[in-house]
Amino acid sequence: MVLGKLKIDKKMNITNICCIGAGYVGGPTMAVIAQKCPHIKVSVVDLNEDRIAKWNDQNVDNIPVYEPGLGAIVAESRGRNLFFTTEVDRAIDEAQLIFISVNTPTKTYGSGKGMAADLKYIELCARQIARVSKNDKIVVEKSTLPVRTAEAIKNILDNTGNGVQFQILSNPEFLAEGTAVEDLLSPDRVLIGGDTSIEGQNAIKALVDVYANWVPKERILTTNVWSSELSKLTANAFLAQRVSSINSVSELCEKTGANVSEVAKAIGMDSRIGSKFLKASVGFGGSCFQKDILNLVYISKSFGLHEVADYWEQVIIMNDHQKRRFSKNIVTTLYNTIADKKITFLGWAFKKDTNDTRESAAIYVANDLINEQAKIALFDPKVSYKQALSDLNYLETRTSPENEKCLTVLDDPYEACKNAHAIAILTEWDEFKNYDWQKIYDSMLKPAFIFDGRNVLDSPKMKEIGFIYQSIGS
Ligand code: UDX
Ligand code: UDX
């Protein structure tokens, strides 16, 4: 017991943090930690030199992640105690606590293809940490990982390291893009999973102390590692399930004359159900929902739990159906042919207030319409031609030159809508509501169609102008 007591008393005071991965999660999370903990040096490292250069751009409007409020936070701490660098080894060596925040895409090859998470980058990080470390370190999984990854990381660290001690914690990120800063500043909860040993508990305590600089203690939950890893996957699965549920109702509404917004309001006022995540849409996107559910499906299958796997897979099936249903409706409404017709996309990002396009419904809808030989003209306030084209190419439906022929991107929404047969709204950017819709109507071919995949426009007003206006679920 004396030994145990000694170890518990060994207070770990964190003064140096390193984060591997300067992406949508690592960048904002470290910026907020640095702002709230001026006594801690925070280094964010990334293999991608271009990305690091953008994080260091003098003009914070050019940082690679667009999030409301993020520029100001970066400006405040950068160069003081927040550093973006490609010197990975040095940052690892100096740090007492290392966040791993690299991406974990769905595998595109081999066993588990299309379902399991590709842990290649995670393993590379673990090996690099093992090689460089000369003193004890706490390694924190920030990336969303399949349950039991911590064990694999621990194995690599313990067997390839220089004999130093590692503690692995799971600290999944619950921030949503577009509201990242708000979510980080006042999180519903911070979850930290760790080993039940004394050393594990010490490591948990050290990370709790970092967050306690601004998060109320009662919002910091500590669990074992497996619960923490599984909580992240299931939180996303539950949220996605709500979207798929309301989207399934939207189709029923269209057939029965009910209105999905009215139904969502009516059921959401039941406090047991709650009002959030009941907005019918063209389908959920983003880097997490699909990947995390596929992960859940994959682990369920690997334990032989086929009913559990099927249950969650249905959330994805419903989402694919919702996207396809939207593009099919455009084709049938435009007299069953859209060949060579200009169709304007307003929005490409997977939701408003982000420049992230991963798994965005827009990509799949565009792909379907291009299969029908439509010409897509795109306007999104934060998405470039290069990005949209690369998203289409990633699907490998056709060659890049073929995609290039079917996609144009304009930096003016009115130009994008000129001479179009139809407008499809794919992202709920606020500015779309305030456009001069009469002016847009006047510049389009007639009849002028709007397919509102986000239910953002005022239906009676659009119809009064003369549009043939269709939304989701009414
Ligand atoms: C995060 C999480 O980590 C992921 O698990 C979650 O499911 C989605 O959100 P995100 O920050 O959005 O990922 O990913 P991304 O923006 O792609 O950033 C990852 C960064 O890690 C990239 O900049 C990449 O260059 C970098 N990286 C990747 C490394 O520095 N080293 C590597 O070995 C791999
Ligand atoms: C999600 C989780 O919310 C977050 O906690 C986790 O850390 C990462 O995954 P994110 O992917 O950034 O965050 O966005 P989210 O706001 O959850 O939206 C996901 C998708 O669902 C978007 O495409 C969004 O448009 C769609 N959605 C959301 C709907 O279609 N209807 C809704 O009511 C809510």
Side-chain angles (χ1 to χ4, degrees):
M1 277 333 278
V2 172
L3 194 67
K5 195 162 183 294
L6 273 177
K7 279 182 182 160
I8 291 172
D9 285 348
K10 193 180 143 209
K11 242 189 114 193
M12 275 181 274
N13 194 16
I14 303 296
T15 53
N16 196 311
I17 290 178
C18 161
C19 172
I20 309 179
Y24 283 89
V25 170
T29 308
M30 293 308 124
V32 167
I33 291 182
Q35 188 205 30
K36 293 295 179 183
C37 313
H39 56 288
I40 299 179
K41 177 179 176 187
V42 180
S43 303
V44 192
V45 300
D46 203 298
L47 290 178
N48 183 333
E49 286 178 18
D50 182 48
R51 217 168 203 189
I52 290 296
K54 285 187 177 142
W55 278 110
N56 283 321
D57 198 302
Q58 275 313 306
N59 178 357
V60 287
D61 289 340
N62 297 332
I63 58 177
V65 169
Y66 173 71
E67 280 291 342
L70 180 60
I73 291 188
V74 168
E76 181 187 330
S77 314
R78 200 175 53 187
R80 178 189 70 190
N81 64 325
L82 175 66
F83 302 91
F84 294 93
T85 158
T86 49
E87 287 181 78
V88 185
D89 283 5
R90 194 167 63 95
I92 291 175
D93 178 37
E94 286 177 6
Q96 299 139 316
L97 194 149
I98 302 166
F99 285 95
I100 302 184
S101 190
V102 299
N103 42 337
T104 50
T106 304
K107 274 184 87 174
T108 52
Y109 55 89
S111 135
K113 177 179 169 181
M115 208 172 271
D118 192 341
L119 298 181
K120 176 170 75 183
Y121 303 128
I122 298 284
E123 180 168 342
L124 283 174
C125 286
R127 290 188 184 277
Q128 190 166 14
I129 294 170
R131 179 171 52 75
V132 172
S133 297
K134 298 197 278 291
N135 49 20
D136 294 358
K137 297 200 190 294
I138 302 172
V139 176
V140 186
E141 307 174 338
K142 197 43 136 171
S143 306
T144 310
L145 295 169
V147 181
R148 303 223 141 226
T149 305
E151 201 166 60
I153 297 181
K154 177 112 182 93
N155 272 330
I156 294 169
L157 290 174
D158 287 348
N159 290 307
T160 55
N162 307 321
V164 302
Q165 291 295 312
F166 293 102
Q167 276 302 318
I168 320 293
L169 300 178
S170 159
N171 172 219
E173 189 47 71
F174 292 104
L175 69 83
E177 289 173 33
T179 52
V181 170
E182 237 173 278
D183 296 345
L184 285 163
L185 290 175
S186 43
D188 285 350
R189 77 321 204 170
V190 168
L191 179 58
I192 301 172
D195 204 82
T196 46
S197 66
I198 290 161
E199 294 83 352
Q201 295 302 304
N202 276 334
I204 290 180
K205 170 87 174 44
L207 186 55
V208 167
D209 288 345
V210 172
Y211 283 107
N213 282 296
W214 78 99
V215 180
K217 276 266 169 65
E218 63 278 9
R219 295 216 178 157
I220 306 179
L221 282 184
T222 60
T223 65
N224 76 35
V225 180
W226 321 132
S227 301
S228 170
E229 287 180 333
L230 190 58
S231 299
K232 173 64 198 266
L233 289 187
T234 43
N236 278 346
F238 272 63
L239 290 170
Q241 180 197 44
R242 285 173 66 93
V243 179
S244 272
S245 297
I246 199 71
N247 282 345
S248 79
V249 174
S250 76
E251 191 171 17
L252 203 53
C253 286
E254 289 165 23
K255 297 287 180 220
T256 56
N259 179 316
V260 77
S261 306
E262 292 175 353
V263 174
K265 187 169 180 195
I267 62 176
M269 282 174 78
D270 186 323
S271 61
R272 294 165 301 176
I273 298 175
S275 60
K276 293 179 179 154
F277 271 73
L278 286 181
K279 248 191 221 121
S281 66
V282 55
F284 61 72
S287 66
C288 289
F289 279 7
Q290 169 150 326
K291 174 168 71 71
D292 291 353
I293 295 172
L294 287 174
N295 241 303
L296 204 55
V297 171
Y298 183 71
I299 44 171
S300 303
K301 277 191 183 153
S302 67
F303 287 116
L305 308 177
H306 298 290
E307 291 78 6
V308 179
D310 291 348
Y311 179 79
W312 287 108
E313 193 166 17
Q314 196 57 38
V315 174
I316 304 276
I317 294 173
M318 185 60 224
N319 196 48
D320 288 338
H321 170 67
Q322 189 76 350
K323 292 181 266 188
R324 203 155 315 116
R325 192 166 91 69
F326 185 78
S327 45
K328 258 197 184 147
N329 180 47
I330 295 180
V331 178
T332 43
T333 308
L334 296 185
Y335 319 109
N336 284 316
T337 174
I338 53 168
D340 291 323
K341 288 183 179 168
K342 174 174 175 179
I343 300 185
T344 300
F345 272 36
L346 292 182
W348 189 268
F350 82 99
K351 61 189 273 195
K352 72 172 179 179
D353 292 340
T354 178
N355 58 347
D356 193 353
T357 62
R358 286 176 287 181
E359 291 299 331
S360 179
I363 306 167
Y364 296 90
V365 174
N367 189 56
D368 287 350
L369 299 184
I370 294 173
N371 276 342
E372 297 288 334
Q373 302 187 351
K375 298 277 188 267
I376 309 291
L378 163 66
F379 171 79
D380 183 293
K382 291 287 170 194
V383 179
S384 66
Y385 176 68
K386 197 173 145 218
Q387 184 58 49
L389 182 65
S390 120
D391 292 336
L392 273 177
N393 289 343
Y394 187 76
L395 297 184
E396 295 185 343
T397 312
R398 52 192 91 70
T399 64
S400 184
E402 284 168 328
N403 282 325
E404 284 161 38
K405 271 189 229 151
C406 302
L407 177 73
T408 50
V409 175
L410 295 108
D411 49 22
D412 175 58
Y414 296 97
E415 280 303 313
C417 295
K418 207 177 261 173
N419 293 322
H421 285 264
I423 293 172
I425 298 181
L426 277 305
T427 310
E428 73 281 22
W429 287 102
D430 289 331
E431 64 174 72
F432 296 165
K433 295 182 194 157
N434 305 321
Y435 286 174
D436 182 343
W437 284 98
Q438 182 66 53
K439 177 173 159 188
I440 291 175
Y441 177 79
D442 293 341
S443 76
M444 286 175 67
L445 299 181
K446 308 292 166 350
F449 296 88
I450 296 181
F451 299 93
D452 187 349
R454 296 287 185 166
N455 295 353
V456 288
L457 299 182
D458 180 1
S459 166
K461 192 175 139 199
M462 293 302 129
K463 287 176 181 157
E464 197 187 301
I465 292 175
F467 285 108
I468 299 179
Y469 173 81
Q470 295 189 4
S471 55
I472 303 276
S474 63

